[in-house]
Amino acid sequence: MSTTLLPPRSAATTGLSATVDRAVPATTSTFVFIGRSIRHTLRNIEVLSMAIILPIMLMLMFTYVFGGAIDPGGDYVNYVVPGIILLCAGFGSASTAVDVADDMSNGIIDRFRTMPLRSDGVIVGHVIASLLRNLFATGVVIGVALLVGFRPTAGPAEWLGALGLIALFILAITWLYASIGLAARSAAAASGYGFVLLFLPYLSSAFVPTDTMPEWLQWIADNQPITPIIETIRGLLMGTPIGGHAWWAVGWCLLILVGSAVWGAWLFRRRAGRR
């Protein structure tokens, strides 16, 4: 009785994906997608320009058009700049929802899933690239604010605390926009859903003190996430009282960040798994 030895079957003949044996480490995949998103940002000059120009235009309009009526003493620029910084972060992060929705609908995720990469790293890439883009835009906005009369009294520690809170806010709001992009069925829908969030700074203490608002609106403005974040940045940079705003500011940022990351991971598995 003879025994026939069969050659080992290849991954292709067994139906197993060769990507299993050649899987790229998760950190490498993440850096690949971060690089991809940064290259997209550098090529999309219009988005980067608008993320910088729009907040600067609003700052100049509020300072030179409305500022005289709101604060005849000419000190309004010192009040409004912290709100403009958060507005800048919102404008810049909103494009993340469109980019993610576009990736989910144009078939590129299917292509990534055939490669030895963790395809969910594409979302992390969008978030980190947006964080870097918005920190750059925030730096430009602060520079222009200094040119038009913004005079913070903060020392190095206060500046470090303010920039840390701004970075944490940008990271949280960008994850939220990325999750909105995953939930939307098209890039146009993602743009519309994300646009709603851009109104939050107007319903806060960003441009006028909340005690000048009607009582019912004042309650909303005082208890929404943007107000404690602005008051903390304003206190760090301008020396105004912070009180308990700092704890609320960090708490809101962490809540938005963790909630959005969990929601986004669930949405990605749900949508990508259907393909």
Side-chain angles (χ1 to χ4, degrees):
M1 180 177 180
S2 63
T3 301
T4 303
L5 297 177
L6 297 176
R9 291 184 296 174
S10 66
T13 57
T14 58
L16 296 175
S17 170
T19 62
V20 172
D21 295 329
R22 296 185 288 110
V24 175
T27 52
T28 304
S29 298
T30 301
F31 281 115
V32 168
F33 285 120
I34 291 173
R36 168 182 178 264
S37 297
I38 290 175
R39 286 192 295 275
H40 284 184
T41 295
L42 296 177
R43 292 168 184 165
N44 197 349
I45 300 299
E46 291 85 357
V47 171
L48 181 60
S49 299
M50 293 309 293
I52 297 172
I53 292 174
L54 276 177
I56 290 176
M57 289 177 61
L58 283 172
M59 179 172 59
L60 296 178
M61 185 178 70
F62 273 96
T63 300
Y64 292 117
V65 179
F66 303 133
I70 297 173
D71 185 354
D75 199 38
Y76 185 63
V77 65
N78 287 327
Y79 181 87
V80 78
V81 166
I84 294 293
I85 291 173
L86 291 201
L87 201 62
C88 170
F91 277 129
S93 301
S95 63
T96 306
V98 178
D99 293 339
V100 170
D102 192 43
D103 271 354
M104 296 303 294
S105 59
N106 65 8
I108 192 66
I109 297 299
D110 294 333
R111 181 73 182 93
F112 290 149
R113 285 168 64 83
T114 66
M115 300 177 179
L117 297 167
R118 286 181 59 90
S119 57
D120 55 354
V122 69
I123 307 301
V124 179
H126 281 301
V127 170
I128 299 300
S130 176
L131 173 64
L132 297 175
R133 180 177 66 237
N134 284 300
L135 286 176
F136 172 74
T138 299
V140 174
V141 169
I142 291 176
V144 174
L146 293 172
L147 291 177
V148 300
F150 179 52
R151 295 295 178 264
T153 59
E158 287 81 9
W159 268 107
L160 193 61
L163 293 176
L165 181 58
I166 292 168
L168 180 61
F169 172 76
I170 293 174
L171 185 62
I173 197 73
T174 304
W175 262 114
L176 180 57
Y177 275 117
S179 299
I180 290 173
L182 287 166
R185 293 298 176 184
S186 67
S191 178
Y193 295 150
F195 188 74
V196 176
L197 293 177
L198 297 179
F199 281 97
L200 281 179
Y202 297 98
L203 299 177
S204 71
S205 63
F207 303 106
V208 294
T210 59
D211 56 10
T212 63
M213 301 177 183
E215 189 173 345
W216 61 271
L217 187 56
Q218 181 182 345
W219 185 88
I220 296 174
D222 285 338
N223 292 280
Q224 62 124 316
I226 300 296
T227 294
I229 299 172
I230 287 178
E231 290 303 320
T232 303
I233 295 172
R234 186 173 285 141
L236 289 169
L237 296 183
M238 303 306 303
T240 56
I242 295 178
H245 288 305
W247 294 109
W248 281 106
V250 175
W252 273 117
C253 288
L254 292 177
L255 180 63
I256 295 171
L257 176 61
V258 174
S260 299
V262 172
W263 183 35
W266 178 76
L267 284 172
F268 186 85
R269 287 195 301 270
R270 190 164 177 260
R271 290 198 61 187
R274 289 177 177 172
R275 298 171 185 275

Short mmCIF file of all heavy atoms in Angstrom, two decimals, residues 218-273:
data_model
loop_
_atom_site.label_atom_id
_atom_site.label_comp_id
_atom_site.label_asym_id
_atom_site.label_seq_id
_atom_site.Cartn_x
_atom_site.Cartn_y
_atom_site.Cartn_z
N GLN A 218 -30.29 81.96 28.76
CA GLN A 218 -29.11 81.99 29.62
C GLN A 218 -28.85 80.62 30.24
O GLN A 218 -27.70 80.19 30.35
CB GLN A 218 -29.31 83.04 30.72
CG GLN A 218 -28.11 83.17 31.65
CD GLN A 218 -28.35 84.18 32.76
OE1 GLN A 218 -29.29 84.98 32.69
NE2 GLN A 218 -27.52 84.15 33.77
N TRP A 219 -29.91 79.92 30.64
CA TRP A 219 -29.74 78.59 31.24
C TRP A 219 -29.09 77.63 30.22
O TRP A 219 -28.20 76.86 30.55
CB TRP A 219 -31.09 78.04 31.68
CG TRP A 219 -30.97 76.73 32.42
CD1 TRP A 219 -30.79 76.54 33.75
CD2 TRP A 219 -30.98 75.41 31.82
NE1 TRP A 219 -30.69 75.20 34.04
CE2 TRP A 219 -30.80 74.48 32.88
CE3 TRP A 219 -31.12 74.94 30.52
CZ2 TRP A 219 -30.77 73.11 32.65
CZ3 TRP A 219 -31.08 73.56 30.30
CH2 TRP A 219 -30.91 72.67 31.37
N ILE A 220 -29.56 77.70 28.97
CA ILE A 220 -28.98 76.85 27.92
C ILE A 220 -27.51 77.20 27.69
O ILE A 220 -26.65 76.33 27.60
CB ILE A 220 -29.78 76.99 26.61
CG1 ILE A 220 -31.21 76.47 26.80
CG2 ILE A 220 -29.09 76.24 25.48
CD1 ILE A 220 -32.12 76.71 25.61
N ALA A 221 -27.23 78.51 27.61
CA ALA A 221 -25.85 78.94 27.33
C ALA A 221 -24.90 78.55 28.46
O ALA A 221 -23.76 78.14 28.21
CB ALA A 221 -25.83 80.45 27.12
N ASP A 222 -25.38 78.65 29.70
CA ASP A 222 -24.50 78.33 30.84
C ASP A 222 -24.23 76.84 30.97
O ASP A 222 -23.21 76.44 31.55
CB ASP A 222 -25.14 78.83 32.14
CG ASP A 222 -25.02 80.34 32.28
OD1 ASP A 222 -24.12 80.92 31.64
OD2 ASP A 222 -25.82 80.93 33.02
N ASN A 223 -25.15 76.00 30.46
CA ASN A 223 -25.03 74.56 30.70
C ASN A 223 -24.69 73.75 29.45
O ASN A 223 -24.80 72.53 29.46
CB ASN A 223 -26.34 74.03 31.30
CG ASN A 223 -26.58 74.55 32.69
OD1 ASN A 223 -26.02 74.08 33.66
ND2 ASN A 223 -27.41 75.59 32.79
N GLN A 224 -24.28 74.42 28.40
CA GLN A 224 -23.81 73.67 27.22
C GLN A 224 -22.28 73.58 27.27
O GLN A 224 -21.63 74.36 27.96
CB GLN A 224 -24.31 74.35 25.94
CG GLN A 224 -23.80 75.77 25.75
CD GLN A 224 -23.10 75.90 24.42
OE1 GLN A 224 -22.33 75.03 24.07
NE2 GLN A 224 -23.36 76.98 23.70
N PRO A 225 -21.66 72.65 26.53
CA PRO A 225 -20.22 72.39 26.70
C PRO A 225 -19.30 73.56 26.35
O PRO A 225 -18.22 73.68 26.94
CB PRO A 225 -19.97 71.22 25.74
CG PRO A 225 -21.29 70.59 25.50
CD PRO A 225 -22.30 71.69 25.62
N ILE A 226 -19.70 74.41 25.42
CA ILE A 226 -18.77 75.43 24.93
C ILE A 226 -18.45 76.49 26.00
O ILE A 226 -17.30 76.95 26.11
CB ILE A 226 -19.34 76.10 23.67
CG1 ILE A 226 -19.57 75.06 22.57
CG2 ILE A 226 -18.39 77.18 23.16
CD1 ILE A 226 -18.30 74.40 22.08
N THR A 227 -19.47 76.89 26.77
CA THR A 227 -19.27 78.00 27.73
C THR A 227 -18.15 77.72 28.75
O THR A 227 -17.26 78.56 28.93
CB THR A 227 -20.59 78.33 28.43
OG1 THR A 227 -21.50 78.85 27.45
CG2 THR A 227 -20.38 79.37 29.52
N PRO A 228 -18.14 76.58 29.47
CA PRO A 228 -17.03 76.38 30.42
C PRO A 228 -15.67 76.29 29.76
O PRO A 228 -14.65 76.70 30.36
CB PRO A 228 -17.41 75.07 31.14
CG PRO A 228 -18.38 74.39 30.24
CD PRO A 228 -19.13 75.49 29.54
N ILE A 229 -15.61 75.78 28.53
CA ILE A 229 -14.32 75.70 27.83
C ILE A 229 -13.82 77.11 27.51
O ILE A 229 -12.65 77.45 27.73
CB ILE A 229 -14.46 74.86 26.54
CG1 ILE A 229 -14.88 73.42 26.89
CG2 ILE A 229 -13.15 74.85 25.76
CD1 ILE A 229 -15.22 72.57 25.69
N ILE A 230 -14.73 77.97 27.02
CA ILE A 230 -14.33 79.35 26.70
C ILE A 230 -13.93 80.10 27.97
O ILE A 230 -12.92 80.81 27.99
CB ILE A 230 -15.49 80.07 25.98
CG1 ILE A 230 -15.62 79.54 24.56
CG2 ILE A 230 -15.26 81.59 25.97
CD1 ILE A 230 -16.76 80.15 23.79
N GLU A 231 -14.72 79.94 29.03
CA GLU A 231 -14.41 80.66 30.27
C GLU A 231 -13.08 80.21 30.86
O GLU A 231 -12.35 81.02 31.46
CB GLU A 231 -15.54 80.46 31.28
CG GLU A 231 -16.84 81.17 30.91
CD GLU A 231 -16.65 82.67 30.71
OE1 GLU A 231 -15.90 83.29 31.48
OE2 GLU A 231 -17.24 83.22 29.77
N THR A 232 -12.75 78.93 30.70
CA THR A 232 -11.45 78.45 31.19
C THR A 232 -10.30 79.03 30.37
O THR A 232 -9.29 79.50 30.93
CB THR A 232 -11.41 76.91 31.14
OG1 THR A 232 -12.49 76.37 31.90
CG2 THR A 232 -10.10 76.38 31.70
N ILE A 233 -10.45 79.03 29.04
CA ILE A 233 -9.40 79.61 28.19
C ILE A 233 -9.26 81.10 28.47
O ILE A 233 -8.15 81.64 28.57
CB ILE A 233 -9.73 79.36 26.70
CG1 ILE A 233 -9.70 77.85 26.40
CG2 ILE A 233 -8.74 80.09 25.80
CD1 ILE A 233 -10.19 77.49 25.02
N ARG A 234 -10.41 81.77 28.61
CA ARG A 234 -10.40 83.22 28.91
C ARG A 234 -9.72 83.50 30.25
O ARG A 234 -8.93 84.44 30.38
CB ARG A 234 -11.83 83.73 28.90
CG ARG A 234 -11.96 85.25 29.04
CD ARG A 234 -13.41 85.66 28.84
NE ARG A 234 -13.81 85.62 27.44
CZ ARG A 234 -15.00 85.20 27.01
NH1 ARG A 234 -15.90 84.77 27.87
NH2 ARG A 234 -15.29 85.20 25.72
N GLY A 235 -10.01 82.66 31.24
CA GLY A 235 -9.40 82.84 32.56
C GLY A 235 -7.90 82.61 32.52
O GLY A 235 -7.12 83.35 33.15
N LEU A 236 -7.46 81.58 31.77
CA LEU A 236 -6.03 81.30 31.69
C LEU A 236 -5.27 82.40 30.95
O LEU A 236 -4.18 82.80 31.35
CB LEU A 236 -5.80 79.95 30.99
CG LEU A 236 -6.21 78.70 31.79
CD1 LEU A 236 -6.19 77.46 30.89
CD2 LEU A 236 -5.27 78.50 32.97
N LEU A 237 -5.87 82.90 29.86
CA LEU A 237 -5.16 83.89 29.04
C LEU A 237 -5.31 85.31 29.55
O LEU A 237 -4.38 86.12 29.44
CB LEU A 237 -5.66 83.81 27.58
CG LEU A 237 -5.39 82.50 26.83
CD1 LEU A 237 -5.88 82.60 25.40
CD2 LEU A 237 -3.90 82.15 26.85
N MET A 238 -6.49 85.63 30.12
CA MET A 238 -6.77 87.02 30.50
C MET A 238 -6.85 87.24 32.00
O MET A 238 -7.05 88.37 32.45
CB MET A 238 -8.08 87.49 29.84
CG MET A 238 -8.10 87.36 28.32
SD MET A 238 -6.70 88.16 27.50
CE MET A 238 -6.86 89.84 28.08
N GLY A 239 -6.77 86.17 32.79
CA GLY A 239 -6.78 86.32 34.24
C GLY A 239 -8.15 86.52 34.84
O GLY A 239 -8.25 86.91 36.02
N THR A 240 -9.23 86.26 34.09
CA THR A 240 -10.58 86.36 34.65
C THR A 240 -10.85 85.14 35.54
O THR A 240 -10.20 84.10 35.40
CB THR A 240 -11.62 86.43 33.53
OG1 THR A 240 -11.47 85.27 32.68
CG2 THR A 240 -11.43 87.68 32.68
N PRO A 241 -11.81 85.25 36.48
CA PRO A 241 -12.08 84.11 37.38
C PRO A 241 -12.51 82.86 36.60
O PRO A 241 -13.32 82.94 35.67
CB PRO A 241 -13.23 84.63 38.25
CG PRO A 241 -13.13 86.12 38.18
CD PRO A 241 -12.63 86.43 36.80
N ILE A 242 -11.95 81.71 36.99
CA ILE A 242 -12.28 80.44 36.33
C ILE A 242 -13.30 79.65 37.14
O ILE A 242 -14.22 79.05 36.59
CB ILE A 242 -11.00 79.60 36.12
CG1 ILE A 242 -10.05 80.32 35.14
CG2 ILE A 242 -11.35 78.22 35.56
CD1 ILE A 242 -8.75 79.59 34.91
N GLY A 243 -13.15 79.68 38.47
CA GLY A 243 -14.07 78.94 39.32
C GLY A 243 -14.07 77.45 38.98
O GLY A 243 -13.02 76.83 38.78
N GLY A 244 -15.28 76.88 38.87
CA GLY A 244 -15.38 75.45 38.56
C GLY A 244 -15.43 75.16 37.08
O GLY A 244 -15.63 73.99 36.68
N HIS A 245 -15.25 76.19 36.24
CA HIS A 245 -15.34 75.96 34.79
C HIS A 245 -14.29 74.98 34.28
O HIS A 245 -14.54 74.24 33.32
CB HIS A 245 -15.20 77.30 34.04
CG HIS A 245 -16.40 78.19 34.18
ND1 HIS A 245 -17.68 77.79 33.84
CD2 HIS A 245 -16.52 79.47 34.62
CE1 HIS A 245 -18.52 78.78 34.05
NE2 HIS A 245 -17.87 79.80 34.53
N ALA A 246 -13.09 74.99 34.88
CA ALA A 246 -12.02 74.13 34.37
C ALA A 246 -12.40 72.66 34.45
O ALA A 246 -12.17 71.90 33.50
CB ALA A 246 -10.73 74.39 35.16
N TRP A 247 -13.00 72.23 35.58
CA TRP A 247 -13.39 70.82 35.71
C TRP A 247 -14.47 70.47 34.70
O TRP A 247 -14.44 69.40 34.09
CB TRP A 247 -13.87 70.54 37.14
CG TRP A 247 -12.79 70.69 38.15
CD1 TRP A 247 -12.65 71.67 39.10
CD2 TRP A 247 -11.65 69.82 38.32
NE1 TRP A 247 -11.52 71.48 39.84
CE2 TRP A 247 -10.88 70.35 39.39
CE3 TRP A 247 -11.22 68.66 37.67
CZ2 TRP A 247 -9.70 69.75 39.81
CZ3 TRP A 247 -10.05 68.06 38.10
CH2 TRP A 247 -9.30 68.61 39.16
N TRP A 248 -15.45 71.38 34.54
CA TRP A 248 -16.50 71.13 33.56
C TRP A 248 -15.92 71.08 32.14
O TRP A 248 -16.36 70.27 31.31
CB TRP A 248 -17.57 72.21 33.64
CG TRP A 248 -18.53 72.02 34.77
CD1 TRP A 248 -18.59 72.72 35.94
CD2 TRP A 248 -19.58 71.03 34.83
NE1 TRP A 248 -19.60 72.23 36.73
CE2 TRP A 248 -20.22 71.20 36.07
CE3 TRP A 248 -20.02 70.03 33.97
CZ2 TRP A 248 -21.30 70.40 36.46
CZ3 TRP A 248 -21.08 69.23 34.35
CH2 TRP A 248 -21.71 69.42 35.59
N ALA A 249 -14.96 71.96 31.86
CA ALA A 249 -14.38 72.00 30.51
C ALA A 249 -13.69 70.68 30.18
O ALA A 249 -13.92 70.09 29.11
CB ALA A 249 -13.38 73.16 30.43
N VAL A 250 -12.84 70.22 31.08
CA VAL A 250 -12.13 68.95 30.84
C VAL A 250 -13.13 67.79 30.80
O VAL A 250 -13.03 66.88 29.96
CB VAL A 250 -11.06 68.72 31.92
CG1 VAL A 250 -10.41 67.35 31.75
CG2 VAL A 250 -10.00 69.81 31.85
N GLY A 251 -14.11 67.81 31.71
CA GLY A 251 -15.10 66.74 31.74
C GLY A 251 -15.91 66.66 30.45
O GLY A 251 -16.12 65.56 29.91
N TRP A 252 -16.36 67.82 29.95
CA TRP A 252 -17.12 67.81 28.69
C TRP A 252 -16.26 67.29 27.54
O TRP A 252 -16.73 66.49 26.70
CB TRP A 252 -17.61 69.22 28.36
CG TRP A 252 -18.93 69.60 28.97
CD1 TRP A 252 -19.18 70.58 29.88
CD2 TRP A 252 -20.21 68.99 28.68
NE1 TRP A 252 -20.52 70.62 30.19
CE2 TRP A 252 -21.17 69.66 29.47
CE3 TRP A 252 -20.61 67.95 27.84
CZ2 TRP A 252 -22.53 69.33 29.43
CZ3 TRP A 252 -21.97 67.61 27.81
CH2 TRP A 252 -22.89 68.29 28.59
N CYS A 253 -15.00 67.74 27.48
CA CYS A 253 -14.12 67.29 26.38
C CYS A 253 -13.92 65.77 26.42
O CYS A 253 -13.99 65.09 25.39
CB CYS A 253 -12.77 68.01 26.46
SG CYS A 253 -12.83 69.74 25.98
N LEU A 254 -13.65 65.24 27.62
CA LEU A 254 -13.43 63.79 27.73
C LEU A 254 -14.70 63.01 27.42
O LEU A 254 -14.66 61.95 26.78
CB LEU A 254 -12.93 63.45 29.15
CG LEU A 254 -11.52 63.96 29.49
CD1 LEU A 254 -11.17 63.61 30.94
CD2 LEU A 254 -10.49 63.37 28.55
N LEU A 255 -15.85 63.53 27.88
CA LEU A 255 -17.11 62.85 27.59
C LEU A 255 -17.38 62.81 26.09
O LEU A 255 -17.76 61.76 25.54
CB LEU A 255 -18.25 63.57 28.31
CG LEU A 255 -19.65 62.98 28.11
CD1 LEU A 255 -19.72 61.57 28.67
CD2 LEU A 255 -20.72 63.87 28.76
N ILE A 256 -17.18 63.94 25.41
CA ILE A 256 -17.40 63.98 23.95
C ILE A 256 -16.40 63.07 23.25
O ILE A 256 -16.75 62.33 22.32
CB ILE A 256 -17.26 65.43 23.44
CG1 ILE A 256 -18.38 66.30 24.02
CG2 ILE A 256 -17.30 65.47 21.91
CD1 ILE A 256 -18.21 67.78 23.75
N LEU A 257 -15.14 63.09 23.71
CA LEU A 257 -14.09 62.28 23.06
C LEU A 257 -14.38 60.79 23.20
O LEU A 257 -14.38 60.05 22.20
CB LEU A 257 -12.74 62.62 23.69
CG LEU A 257 -11.53 61.81 23.21
CD1 LEU A 257 -11.33 62.00 21.73
CD2 LEU A 257 -10.28 62.22 23.99
N VAL A 258 -14.64 60.33 24.41
CA VAL A 258 -14.87 58.90 24.63
C VAL A 258 -16.16 58.45 23.95
O VAL A 258 -16.22 57.42 23.27
CB VAL A 258 -14.90 58.58 26.14
CG1 VAL A 258 -15.28 57.13 26.37
CG2 VAL A 258 -13.54 58.88 26.77
N GLY A 259 -17.23 59.25 24.13
CA GLY A 259 -18.51 58.89 23.51
C GLY A 259 -18.42 58.83 22.00
O GLY A 259 -18.95 57.90 21.37
N SER A 260 -17.73 59.80 21.40
CA SER A 260 -17.61 59.82 19.94
C SER A 260 -16.74 58.68 19.44
O SER A 260 -17.04 58.09 18.39
CB SER A 260 -17.02 61.16 19.50
OG SER A 260 -17.83 62.24 19.87
N ALA A 261 -15.66 58.36 20.16
CA ALA A 261 -14.78 57.27 19.74
C ALA A 261 -15.52 55.93 19.78
O ALA A 261 -15.40 55.11 18.86
CB ALA A 261 -13.53 57.23 20.62
N VAL A 262 -16.29 55.70 20.84
CA VAL A 262 -17.05 54.44 20.94
C VAL A 262 -18.13 54.39 19.87
O VAL A 262 -18.30 53.36 19.19
CB VAL A 262 -17.68 54.32 22.35
CG1 VAL A 262 -18.63 53.13 22.41
CG2 VAL A 262 -16.59 54.19 23.41
N TRP A 263 -18.85 55.48 19.69
CA TRP A 263 -19.89 55.55 18.65
C TRP A 263 -19.27 55.33 17.26
O TRP A 263 -19.79 54.58 16.43
CB TRP A 263 -20.60 56.89 18.73
CG TRP A 263 -21.74 57.06 17.77
CD1 TRP A 263 -22.61 56.09 17.36
CD2 TRP A 263 -22.12 58.26 17.08
NE1 TRP A 263 -23.52 56.62 16.47
CE2 TRP A 263 -23.24 57.94 16.28
CE3 TRP A 263 -21.64 59.56 17.08
CZ2 TRP A 263 -23.88 58.90 15.48
CZ3 TRP A 263 -22.28 60.51 16.29
CH2 TRP A 263 -23.38 60.18 15.51
N GLY A 264 -18.13 55.99 17.00
CA GLY A 264 -17.49 55.87 15.70
C GLY A 264 -17.00 54.44 15.43
O GLY A 264 -17.15 53.94 14.32
N ALA A 265 -16.43 53.78 16.45
CA ALA A 265 -15.95 52.40 16.26
C ALA A 265 -17.12 51.48 15.95
O ALA A 265 -17.02 50.59 15.08
CB ALA A 265 -15.22 51.94 17.52
N TRP A 266 -18.24 51.68 16.64
CA TRP A 266 -19.42 50.84 16.39
C TRP A 266 -19.96 51.07 14.98
O TRP A 266 -20.29 50.13 14.26
CB TRP A 266 -20.49 51.16 17.43
CG TRP A 266 -21.76 50.39 17.23
CD1 TRP A 266 -21.99 49.08 17.53
CD2 TRP A 266 -22.98 50.88 16.66
NE1 TRP A 266 -23.28 48.73 17.19
CE2 TRP A 266 -23.90 49.82 16.65
CE3 TRP A 266 -23.37 52.13 16.16
CZ2 TRP A 266 -25.21 49.96 16.16
CZ3 TRP A 266 -24.66 52.28 15.67
CH2 TRP A 266 -25.56 51.20 15.67
N LEU A 267 -20.03 52.34 14.57
CA LEU A 267 -20.54 52.66 13.23
C LEU A 267 -19.62 52.09 12.15
O LEU A 267 -20.11 51.57 11.13
CB LEU A 267 -20.63 54.19 13.07
CG LEU A 267 -21.79 54.88 13.77
CD1 LEU A 267 -21.63 56.40 13.69
CD2 LEU A 267 -23.13 54.47 13.14
N PHE A 268 -18.29 52.17 12.37
CA PHE A 268 -17.38 51.67 11.33
C PHE A 268 -17.53 50.15 11.16
O PHE A 268 -17.58 49.65 10.04
CB PHE A 268 -15.93 52.02 11.70
CG PHE A 268 -14.95 51.65 10.62
CD1 PHE A 268 -14.71 52.52 9.58
CD2 PHE A 268 -14.29 50.43 10.65
CE1 PHE A 268 -13.83 52.19 8.56
CE2 PHE A 268 -13.42 50.09 9.64
CZ PHE A 268 -13.17 50.96 8.60
N ARG A 269 -17.57 49.41 12.30
CA ARG A 269 -17.74 47.95 12.19
C ARG A 269 -19.06 47.62 11.51
O ARG A 269 -19.14 46.69 10.70
CB ARG A 269 -17.70 47.32 13.59
CG ARG A 269 -16.32 47.28 14.21
CD ARG A 269 -16.30 46.33 15.40
NE ARG A 269 -17.26 46.73 16.42
CZ ARG A 269 -16.99 47.55 17.42
NH1 ARG A 269 -15.78 48.05 17.53
NH2 ARG A 269 -17.90 47.87 18.30
N ARG A 270 -20.09 48.38 11.81
CA ARG A 270 -21.42 48.10 11.25
C ARG A 270 -21.46 48.37 9.75
O ARG A 270 -21.96 47.55 8.98
CB ARG A 270 -22.44 48.98 11.97
CG ARG A 270 -23.88 48.67 11.69
CD ARG A 270 -24.77 49.31 12.73
NE ARG A 270 -26.18 49.10 12.45
CZ ARG A 270 -26.96 50.00 11.88
NH1 ARG A 270 -26.47 51.19 11.54
NH2 ARG A 270 -28.23 49.75 11.63
N ARG A 271 -20.89 49.49 9.32
CA ARG A 271 -20.96 49.84 7.91
C ARG A 271 -19.94 49.07 7.08
O ARG A 271 -20.23 48.60 6.00
CB ARG A 271 -20.75 51.34 7.73
CG ARG A 271 -21.92 52.18 8.25
CD ARG A 271 -21.90 53.57 7.69
NE ARG A 271 -22.01 53.56 6.25
CZ ARG A 271 -21.88 54.65 5.50
NH1 ARG A 271 -21.65 55.81 6.08
NH2 ARG A 271 -21.98 54.58 4.19
N ALA A 272 -18.71 48.97 7.59
CA ALA A 272 -17.68 48.26 6.83
C ALA A 272 -17.98 46.77 6.78
O ALA A 272 -17.68 46.10 5.79
CB ALA A 272 -16.31 48.50 7.44
N GLY A 273 -18.62 46.23 7.82
CA GLY A 273 -18.92 44.80 7.86
C GLY A 273 -19.98 44.38 6.87
O GLY A 273 -20.10 43.21 6.52
#
